[in-house]
């Protein structure tokens, strides 16, 4: 494995709203794993009958493909990709 590839893995932030059903969160995580992404951070908050989820994911595959697959889950109401953060550069 090339160590340079490990340092350049893209990171994405997705927000997701889904119904709080049995094993719904497990199915979400399974789709993420199968599609080749790694969960770096997950924040889950129960709001009534729903779950509001913020995911920070790492992976080299197209994030649009994962987003489309998550939207197909019957428990998922919405999936949105957060705008990428601007990288900071130092000025002299």
């Amino acid at each position: 494995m090339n160590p340079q590839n490990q340092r350049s893995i893209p990171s994405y932030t997705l927000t997701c709203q889904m119904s709080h059903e049995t094993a719904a969160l497990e199915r979400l995580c399974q789709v993420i794993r199968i599609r080749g992404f790694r969960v770096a951070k997950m924040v889950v908050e129960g709001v009534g009958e729903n779950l509001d989820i913020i995911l920070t994911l790492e992976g080299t595959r197209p994030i649009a493909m994962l987003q489309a697959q998550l939207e197909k889950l019957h428990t998922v109401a919405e999936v949105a990709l957060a705008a990428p953060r601007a990288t900071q550069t130092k000025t002299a």
Side-chain angles (χ1 to χ4, degrees), residues 4-77:
Q4 289 181 344
N5 289 342
Q6 290 178 347
R7 285 185 248 135
S8 63
I9 295 175
S11 179
Y12 306 95
T13 301
L14 289 177
T15 59
C16 180
Q17 291 181 338
M18 65 188 308
S19 52
H20 193 291
E21 293 182 15
T22 304
L25 198 54
E26 292 175 45
R27 285 190 297 273
L28 181 86
C29 292
Q30 182 180 25
V31 170
I32 291 168
R33 179 184 54 82
I34 289 170
R35 294 292 170 207
F37 289 85
R38 185 180 81 80
V39 176
K41 182 178 178 181
M42 177 187 281
V43 178
V44 181
E45 182 178 357
V47 180
E49 297 292 318
N50 296 318
L51 295 173
D52 287 342
I53 305 164
I54 301 171
L55 294 157
T56 302
L57 305 172
E58 296 174 345
T60 56
R61 293 185 176 178
I63 193 67
M65 178 184 69
L66 175 63
Q67 186 175 353
Q69 291 299 311
L70 293 176
E71 289 170 346
K72 291 179 183 180
L73 293 173
H74 75 277
T75 54
V76 172

